């Protein structure tokens, strides 16, 4: 089979959609090397270079022009002889010629419908139009969780039979043992406390970091936060200053994937009280790192966390505080839950996901 991908996110996104795109192509090219994988975009970058170096992965420069992704990329895939076009981030090209080609789109979440307050009016309208158009045009839709599947049925009015749930994995760094030298270097570089709790993700309203900070106020539990700051960070900063907590919370940016994997493994507890997620990759990154997870009892997070993670009401900082303190003071319980979580997370390993994707490709052809 020859499978073409919209590779904009593959080359140009550093986090969520970029990681999904790179991981998907990486595991397919590794476990199903007989297929040919075409990455279509106007230009490439250094991101994913190791994947592009593989003999079965090929970059195809798409036609120039401001709307070439929407108007020309589909035809470029047909010209290249692709059997399938896979849109990796909720979109498909709008124009095609008569050459037969099957179309698949991955939809990660419909947060812009569920939580409109986080998006501008214009962004909501554009996102909805693109997602609806892609869902109608696709031969199959991949939802990355049961929660996302339910949302697609409810908001985009798509029949259930058109949707397949295929979970996503995470970067291989979280499944590897980093060297003692790298562990020591990361400890020193980021001046990590001896014990700490960890939060990873963009610092924005929906991720709800303020309630973690409130939960640890009045305790001596150090918090390490890895993520890009947005305007919401100012609320955190104000609270920290007011409560003299500046030294208790450490913010890190520009952390490499291997360093992040080390930080996850060193953390006592991973805390992720997001109000809503399409999947919640940081949860499985923590579970692969053998670190116990405290996360919200909402959206898809219980799907990602399994029955041995600890669940909280994200609106209730006292609930978050009680669960963190319970685990912080109880090493054997942390260890037990981390071990069970590690067993559970194996279902998100590369090979089973690659098989499910390839089975879907074969089925639609």
């Amino acid at each position: 089979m020859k499978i073409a991908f919209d590779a904009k996110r593959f080359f140009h996104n550093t986090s969520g959609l970029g990681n999904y795109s790179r991981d998907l192509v990486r595991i397919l090219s590794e476990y199903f090397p007989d297929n040919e994988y075409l990455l279509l975009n106007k230009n490439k970058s250094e991101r994913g270079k190791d994947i592009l170096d593989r003999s079965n992965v090929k970059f195809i420069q798409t036609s120039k022009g401001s709307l070439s992704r929407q108007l020309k990329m589909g035809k470029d895939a047909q010209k290249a002889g692709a059997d399938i076009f896979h849109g990796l981030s909720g979109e498909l090209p709008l124009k095609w010629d008569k050459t037969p080609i099957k179309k698949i789109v991955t939809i990660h979440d419909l947060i812009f419908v569920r939580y409109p307050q986080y998006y501008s009016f214009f962004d909501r309208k554009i996102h909805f139009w693109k997602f609806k158009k892609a869902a109608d045009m696709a031969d199959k839709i991949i939802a990355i969780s049961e929660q996302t599947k339910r949302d697609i049925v409810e908001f985009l009015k798509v029949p259930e039979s058109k949707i397949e749930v295929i979970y996503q994995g995470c970067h291989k760094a979280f499944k590897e043992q980093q060297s003692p030298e790298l562990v020591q270097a990361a400890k020193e570089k980021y001046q990590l406390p001896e014990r700490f709790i960890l939060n990873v993700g963009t610092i924005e309203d929906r991720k709800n970091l303020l309630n973690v900070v409130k939960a640890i106020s009045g305790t001596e539990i150090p918090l390490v936060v890895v993520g890009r700051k947005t305007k919401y960070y100012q609320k955190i900063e104000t609270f920290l200053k007011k409560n003299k907590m500046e030294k208790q919370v450490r913010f890190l940016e520009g952390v490499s994937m291997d360093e992040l994997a080390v930080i996850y493994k060193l953390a006592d507890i991973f805390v992720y009280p997001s109000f809503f997620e399409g999947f919640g990759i940081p949860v499985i990154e923590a579970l692969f790192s053998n670190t116990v997870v405290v996360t919200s009892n909402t959206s898809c997070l219980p799907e990602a966390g399994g029955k041995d993670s600890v669940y909280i009401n994200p609106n209730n900082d006292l609930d978050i505080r009680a669960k963190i303190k319970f685990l912080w003071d109880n090493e054997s319980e942390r260890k037990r839950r981390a071990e069970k979580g590690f067993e559970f997370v194996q279902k998100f390993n590369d090979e089973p996901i690659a098989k499910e994707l390839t089975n879907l490709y074969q089925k639609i052809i």
Side-chain angles (χ1 to χ4, degrees):
M1 283 186 294
K2 201 181 265 196
I3 301 127
F5 299 98
D6 175 352
K8 180 184 175 183
R9 311 291 182 186
F10 180 101
F11 289 118
H12 299 297
N13 274 52
T14 54
S15 55
L17 296 174
N19 289 337
Y20 173 78
S21 303
R22 288 183 288 273
D23 275 334
L24 184 139
V25 178
R26 174 181 64 80
I27 64 177
L28 285 171
S29 62
E30 193 172 315
Y31 289 100
F32 294 90
D34 295 341
N35 298 326
E36 198 176 338
Y37 304 99
L38 311 177
L39 300 176
L40 277 72
N41 197 43
K42 281 194 277 196
N43 50 39
K44 55 184 174 177
S45 71
E46 284 301 298
R47 275 185 206 100
K49 189 179 179 307
D50 54 328
I51 301 165
L52 198 50
D53 286 343
R54 295 176 179 184
S55 60
N56 54 3
V57 181
K58 186 179 171 191
F59 170 68
I60 292 185
Q61 188 166 35
T62 54
S63 307
K64 299 284 185 194
S66 58
L67 287 174
S68 68
R69 188 165 168 239
Q70 290 77 20
L71 304 179
K72 297 172 182 173
M73 188 183 278
K75 292 180 181 181
D76 289 337
Q78 289 171 303
K79 211 178 290 174
D83 302 298
I84 293 169
F85 185 96
H86 188 165
L88 297 170
S89 56
E91 295 179 56
L92 284 172
L94 302 172
K95 297 284 184 187
W96 307 85
D97 63 31
K98 290 187 167 62
T99 314
I101 189 167
K102 295 291 184 182
K103 304 172 191 79
I104 290 178
V105 66
T106 297
I107 293 181
H108 296 260
D109 60 66
L110 294 173
I111 293 172
F112 60 91
V113 183
R114 279 197 168 275
Y115 289 87
Q117 67 269 32
Y118 298 139
Y119 297 82
S120 71
F121 174 82
F122 184 71
D123 280 351
R124 291 199 311 270
K125 292 294 176 197
I126 290 287
H127 285 337
F128 188 86
W129 185 83
K130 281 180 179 175
F131 280 42
K132 176 68 177 148
K133 196 87 178 152
D136 291 343
M137 193 188 293
D139 294 286
K140 276 284 182 185
I141 298 165
I142 293 174
I144 61 164
S145 66
E146 293 291 344
Q147 174 66 57
T148 296
K149 179 179 176 177
R150 290 193 293 272
D151 285 354
I152 294 167
V153 172
E154 181 182 347
F155 298 123
L156 301 183
K157 307 300 179 209
V158 172
E160 261 189 72
S161 57
K162 195 174 180 178
I163 308 165
E164 296 273 336
V165 174
I166 300 179
Y167 291 115
Q168 58 192 112
C170 67
H171 195 280
K172 62 185 191 302
F174 301 100
K175 302 162 194 176
E176 297 168 344
Q177 258 334 105
Q178 281 71 32
S179 70
E181 292 77 22
L182 182 62
V183 173
Q184 194 52 41
K187 273 183 178 175
E188 288 171 12
K189 179 178 177 181
Y190 296 113
Q191 299 176 314
L192 297 171
E194 203 49 48
R195 290 184 68 196
F196 61 92
I197 64 172
L198 175 68
N199 174 269
V200 175
T202 306
I203 301 166
E204 60 184 347
D205 289 47
R206 181 170 55 85
K207 304 285 188 185
N208 192 27
L209 178 61
L210 184 57
N211 271 348
V212 182
V213 173
K214 286 179 179 176
I216 61 163
S217 67
T219 75
E220 291 183 357
I221 299 172
L223 167 64
V224 173
V225 179
V226 182
R228 182 176 59 81
K229 293 169 181 168
T230 68
K231 244 171 40 181
Y232 171 75
Y233 169 74
Q234 289 157 15
K235 286 186 188 175
I236 317 277
E237 194 177 34
T238 303
F239 186 90
L240 293 175
K241 281 180 180 164
K242 191 176 169 189
N243 293 276
K244 299 184 171 49
M245 292 173 68
E246 296 100 316
K247 289 184 178 165
Q248 194 177 346
V249 183
R250 179 174 293 283
F251 292 92
L252 310 179
E253 288 185 82
V255 176
S256 76
M257 215 46 110
D258 277 315
E259 289 170 334
L260 183 59
V262 167
I263 295 167
Y264 267 110
K265 290 181 178 80
L266 291 173
D268 280 48
I269 304 164
F270 178 68
V271 188
Y272 197 68
S274 176
F275 289 120
F276 195 91
E277 293 292 324
F279 181 61
I281 284 186
V283 169
I284 66 169
E285 290 172 347
L287 294 178
F288 270 118
S289 305
N290 257 304
T291 298
V292 65
V293 169
V294 173
T295 191
S296 305
N297 56 8
T298 57
S299 68
C300 64
L301 289 163
E303 285 180 67
K307 66 182 177 58
D308 291 287
S309 291
V310 174
Y311 294 96
I312 47 91
N313 172 355
N315 291 294
N316 186 338
D317 58 282
L318 295 177
D319 185 29
I320 301 170
R321 180 195 191 92
K323 305 283 172 56
I324 289 173
K325 276 186 68 61
F326 165 69
L327 289 171
W328 183 259
D329 297 333
N330 195 332
E331 187 182 0
S332 61
E333 188 64 8
R334 287 199 308 273
K335 197 162 180 285
R336 183 188 76 77
R337 287 179 181 271
E339 283 170 3
K340 291 284 188 189
F342 186 73
E343 285 171 28
F344 165 78
V345 82
Q346 300 311 310
K347 69 189 262 190
F348 303 117
N349 247 320
D350 294 350
E351 192 171 2
I353 292 169
K355 277 183 179 163
E356 285 183 62
L357 285 162
T358 304
N359 288 344
L360 178 61
Y361 291 158
Q362 287 168 340
K363 197 162 76 177
I364 72 163
I365 283 184

